[in-house]
Amino acid sequence: MKNKKLNKFFWYVFLILFMAFTTLYTAGRAGYYEYTQNQKKIFTEEQIKKFEEDVFLGKEVDINDYLVVKENFQDEKKRLGLKASEFIGVYTKIGIDKIFKMLAKLVEN
């Protein structure tokens, strides 16, 4: 009975890890990271062109007009989301460590 539960647990863990791998692999192959980096590059080039045009036209130039304001995580809802993701990250790491320790014991026996 114990072996059956252990086998079932192993397959659940394997399935979850396989799904995570498949998701990350698909995102990588689809070029998600490259797309986001390209969007940043295009935005930067647009801001440079806007700056150069304003200088050429003799407008008063302020650096703050061309910078992107990073999102502030100081309001309560965003802080709560950040804390929740940190909590999940810590306990996921602990869980994965325990799973691999258990699998190491199974392999050794």
Side-chain angles (χ1 to χ4, degrees):
M1 186 68 169
K2 184 178 180 182
N3 192 20
K4 208 173 196 181
K5 284 184 180 181
L6 191 59
N7 193 16
K8 194 174 185 181
F9 175 75
F10 173 75
W11 282 109
Y12 281 132
V13 170
F14 178 76
L15 181 64
I16 290 170
L17 291 174
F18 180 74
M19 288 172 51
F21 170 78
T22 304
T23 302
L24 293 173
Y25 182 77
T26 303
R29 294 294 292 173
Y32 176 75
Y33 179 75
E34 288 81 9
Y35 173 76
T36 57
Q37 294 304 311
N38 189 40
Q39 290 299 101
K40 289 179 184 178
K41 179 183 149 232
I42 290 171
F43 179 74
T44 302
E45 289 173 354
E46 289 173 352
Q47 292 301 86
I48 290 171
K49 286 179 186 175
K50 183 178 169 188
F51 173 78
E52 290 173 348
E53 184 179 309
D54 288 348
V55 169
F56 180 75
L57 294 175
K59 293 182 180 178
E60 190 173 321
V61 178
D62 183 16
I63 191 70
N64 294 324
D65 295 337
Y66 306 98
L67 296 178
V68 177
V69 179
K70 291 191 176 185
E71 202 167 338
N72 186 3
F73 290 99
Q74 295 304 317
D75 69 343
E76 193 171 327
K77 289 180 184 178
K78 291 183 181 180
R79 231 182 10 245
L80 180 63
L82 183 61
K83 292 288 183 186
S85 68
E86 289 173 352
F87 176 82
I88 291 169
V90 167
Y91 285 101
T92 301
K93 182 181 182 308
I94 291 170
I96 290 173
D97 287 341
K98 287 183 180 181
I99 288 170
F100 281 112
K101 285 179 184 177
M102 184 184 68
L103 290 174
K105 286 181 182 177
L106 288 173
V107 170
E108 289 173 0
N109 291 334

